[in-house]
Amino acid sequence: INVTMALTNGEWYYMTIKGCNPAGLCVIASSDGVFVDTLPPVFVYVKDGEKECYHNVLDVKYIQQPHNDYVSCWLVEEPYSGIDHFEVGVGSAPYMYNYMPMTDVGLNHTIEKHEFLAGINNTHVFTTVKAVSRSGLISFDADMNGLLFDTTPPIIGLVLDVPSNPNNMSYGSDID
């Protein structure tokens, strides 16, 4: 049997067959169904942050303690078949995974980074995540905008108290 029909995304389809013998005895059987999902998961947001990462937390660009409380988090929409798992990689440039290769992290929406970032300084770190739906569809890679790890304090420069007119030295402030 060849059936041609347009299938709608997000719908279940079942096949029911009725078979009858020449004596008129019939039996009916139905399939367990097939679900149509043609849309890959879509990321709502991806963020780097400290400690806990929620949708209302700002995405940070700098961090001073790369081994303490650093997380990346994401939220994804997959209204039809749901998420099977996420894959995450971490590196020194977008889509480079030299700190952590792409790794299946299950259904975790957050990854904490500790050991593999110890000792780095003055370095950008980029996290890339992809979502795989239960129907096997893969999202576009979502790349965090990067985070600069900087554990060095600022260096104090030379501060001079010089009035605008050196010929008129007096006590007080001279603000231009």
Side-chain angles (χ1 to χ4, degrees):
I1 297 175
N2 185 5
V3 177
T4 304
M5 61 185 276
L7 302 179
T8 303
N9 193 45
E11 296 289 330
W12 281 93
Y13 291 90
Y14 303 89
M15 178 71 73
T16 301
I17 298 175
K18 179 179 179 181
C20 299
N21 66 15
L25 297 172
C26 298
V27 65
I28 296 175
S30 292
S31 69
D32 60 356
V34 63
F35 186 78
V36 176
D37 182 1
T38 61
L39 300 174
V42 175
F43 283 94
V44 176
Y45 67 78
V46 290
K47 296 180 183 183
D48 290 312
E50 294 184 72
K51 298 181 184 173
E52 297 176 4
C53 195
Y54 298 105
H55 65 87
N56 59 346
V57 175
L58 293 176
D59 186 31
V60 297
K61 300 210 183 298
Y62 306 96
I63 193 169
Q64 64 180 355
Q65 298 292 330
H67 53 281
N68 292 336
D69 301 325
Y70 169 51
V71 298
S72 289
C73 61
W74 51 89
L75 179 63
V76 69
E77 288 184 346
E78 175 33 85
Y80 298 119
S81 62
I83 298 297
D84 181 68
H85 69 278
F86 295 104
E87 295 177 14
V88 179
V90 182
S92 57
Y95 311 108
M96 180 182 283
Y97 314 119
N98 53 322
Y99 295 138
M100 184 180 99
M102 286 301 277
T103 303
D104 183 334
V105 296
L107 293 174
N108 292 322
H109 287 260
T110 304
I111 179 171
E112 297 181 13
K113 301 168 189 71
H114 297 284
E115 300 82 25
F116 60 88
L117 295 176
I120 68 167
N121 187 38
N122 199 23
T123 302
H124 278 92
V125 173
F126 295 85
T127 303
T128 302
V129 61
K130 71 171 101 176
V132 180
S133 72
R134 288 188 197 129
S135 63
L137 298 169
I138 300 171
S139 69
F140 289 107
D141 290 353
D143 192 56
M144 285 23 160
N145 58 2
L147 198 57
L148 178 62
F149 286 89
D150 187 0
T151 59
T152 58
I155 299 172
I156 297 175
L158 181 61
V159 178
L160 298 175
D161 290 326
V162 178
S164 299
N165 183 354
N167 296 328
N168 185 10
M169 296 287 285
S170 62
Y171 295 103
S173 65
D174 185 18
I175 301 175
D176 289 330

